[in-house]
Amino acid sequence: MRPFEFHRATSLDEALALLARPEARALAGGTTLVDLMKLGVEAPGLVVDIGRLPLDGIAPEAESLRIGALVSNSAVARHPAVQAEFPALAEAILSGASGQIRNAASMAGNLMQRTRCPYFRSHDWACNKREPGSGCPALAGADSHHAVLGTSDHCIAVHPSDAAVALLALDAAVAITGGDGVREVPIGDFYRLPGDTPEIETELRPGELITQIVVPRTALAAQSGYLKLRGRASYEFASASVAAAFRLEEGRVVEIALALGGLGTVPWRDPAAEALLVGHPLDAARVDRFCDALLASARPSAGNRYKLDLARGAIHRMLTRSLPC
Ligand SMILES: Cc1cc2nc3c(=O)[nH]c(=O)nc-3n(C[C@H](O)[C@H](O)[C@H](O)COP(=O)(O)OP(=O)(O)OC[C@H]3O[C@@H](n4cnc5c(N)ncnc54)[C@H](O)[C@@H]3O)c2cc1C
Ligand code: SF4
């Protein structure tokens, strides 16, 4: 690990001022950042410990649930309001990592975690995300865990967060605080496609922090669920995952939201595809049409084409499950 300056922030203003320095990184639970520093993938000149800032607490308000950036993944998953009103979020969190990691991991850190692409995580390989312009060995290499949606000729790394997929289906937003105040960015706009700048992953700017996650309280959200398919039953990232919520009246869809994980360079959702289901029963043929539309832009290789079948199976399972009355 390269030498670095360490500062424990005692106020939000102090943290934001320090984080405006280009060499600075925020440290929350450390379960991603410290790993990457040990691997030499991240080498910040300044580490700003934000762990003591008052960014905790889960506050149910009339129209939304506000989750502090530093609330642990475990605390969110076991919170009664999350379990009752946003089951997809609780299930997504509990499907990830391990109990110990979820205890240490913060919610904002979860949303900001970096890809698990093995080339990115090893200095033995070039990587456009780690070192812009150096190349992407995954394009011609082992790519069975890589993305098929939202890819570019510069990067095909899959987005790793389970919680982000659930939050996308739940129409959540992140509250970002910077020198100019607070802005709320919908999760659907927060992550950037890799394009030709895969090193830029989110809309977060230097000198800003995620301070809250805002999840709208809706009847639809309470019907949500999360299904994760992966190589082993625990301690494994998604090969394909689905967060879905829908509401039927007289057997026909009146509202639906569905997000995919494990396939995209960003958590994936397509409102135009969802519109194809509204007004119709969720029969196999209609769900197939939805999958065709949702996956139409996929660019699979021989190594990761299997993810399309996994996603279709998971979508069918989630859309044909029976809902609690
Ligand atoms: C073995 C292992 C298995 C895992 N499996 C899964 C899994 O299956 N599914 C899954 O979703 N995740 C998984 N994870 C990832 C885990 O959820 C993340 O490591 C964790 O959520 C990161 O939170 P943290 O607080 O430790 O972040 P840190 O490591 O402290 O920070 C991570 C990043 O977020 C930034 N950051 C932190 N807080 C803020 C903030 N408030 N505003 C802006 N930026 C911020 C940091 O600067 C850093 O870049 C796994 C991790 C490990 C180690
Ligand atoms: S897929 Fe992206 S992260 Fe992985 S090696 Fe290529 S550029 Fe790097």
Side-chain angles (χ1 to χ4, degrees):
M1 203 188 284
R2 290 213 206 126
F4 58 92
E5 191 187 333
F6 179 83
H7 194 96
R8 181 163 288 142
T10 53
S11 73
L12 185 55
D13 285 347
E14 182 193 23
L16 297 177
L18 289 167
L19 288 166
R21 285 164 55 179
E23 76 279 18
R25 288 285 180 284
L27 176 76
T31 61
T32 285
L33 185 62
V34 175
D35 245 16
L36 293 177
M37 288 172 68
K38 285 187 195 158
L39 292 169
V41 171
E42 293 249 23
L46 169 64
V47 173
V48 181
D49 181 356
I50 61 168
R52 300 210 176 154
L53 299 183
L55 301 175
D56 46 5
I58 300 179
E61 295 184 344
E63 298 197 338
S64 59
L65 186 76
R66 291 187 165 262
I67 302 172
L70 284 171
V71 180
S72 76
N73 287 201
S74 298
V76 172
R78 65 172 178 255
H79 194 279
V82 175
Q83 290 183 350
E85 296 182 44
F86 312 101
L89 180 57
E91 291 166 18
I93 291 172
L94 292 175
S95 75
S98 65
Q100 274 176 319
I101 292 169
R102 293 193 299 266
N103 287 343
S106 68
M107 283 305 291
N110 187 313
L111 298 184
M112 291 294 294
Q113 63 178 289
R114 313 290 307 273
T115 182
R116 309 303 284 197
C117 171
Y119 302 109
F120 169 75
R121 290 172 65 87
S122 166
H123 270 288
D124 295 339
W125 298 92
C127 168
N128 284 329
K129 192 185 275 296
R130 186 165 25 79
E131 210 179 313
S134 62
C136 174
L139 290 169
D143 63 0
S144 61
H145 295 293
H146 285 77
V148 297
L149 289 165
T151 55
S152 76
D153 292 341
H154 302 273
C155 182
I156 57 170
V158 87
H159 194 275
S161 167
D162 289 296
V165 177
L167 290 168
L168 178 62
L170 295 169
D171 288 321
V174 282
I176 295 176
T177 304
D180 298 334
V182 184
R183 60 193 173 107
E184 282 191 12
V185 180
I187 291 284
D189 298 332
F190 181 62
Y191 293 109
R192 286 210 196 170
L193 292 169
D196 56 7
T197 53
E199 72 281 10
I200 305 174
E201 297 173 348
T202 71
E203 291 299 318
L204 199 80
R205 304 175 197 133
E208 290 186 328
L209 275 174
I210 297 174
T211 42
Q212 281 186 329
I213 297 158
V214 186
V215 201
R217 300 175 84 175
T218 63
L220 186 65
Q223 306 278 20
S224 65
Y226 190 74
L227 175 64
K228 176 171 173 178
L229 305 179
R230 49 196 155 162
R232 60 184 173 200
S234 78
Y235 217 54
E236 180 64 298
F237 289 84
S239 299
S241 69
V242 175
F246 60 90
R247 212 162 53 76
L248 302 176
E249 275 176 18
E250 296 177 2
R252 291 170 189 274
V253 174
V254 286
E255 268 189 291
I256 184 145
L258 188 144
L260 270 185
L263 274 79
T265 52
V266 297
W268 201 258
R269 188 172 168 190
D270 182 353
E274 288 167 18
L276 295 173
L277 294 172
V278 175
H280 298 278
L282 288 172
D283 57 49
R286 182 60 57 172
V287 175
D288 271 336
R289 274 187 64 186
F290 167 74
C291 292
D292 291 344
L294 184 67
L295 302 172
S297 64
R299 286 171 54 188
S301 70
N304 57 30
R305 187 175 298 277
Y306 75 99
K307 288 190 171 202
L308 296 174
D309 291 333
L310 283 186
R312 281 176 177 273
I315 291 168
H316 273 270
R317 259 169 72 185
M318 288 303 281
L319 295 188
T320 53
R321 78 206 157 106
S322 49
L323 296 171
C325 299

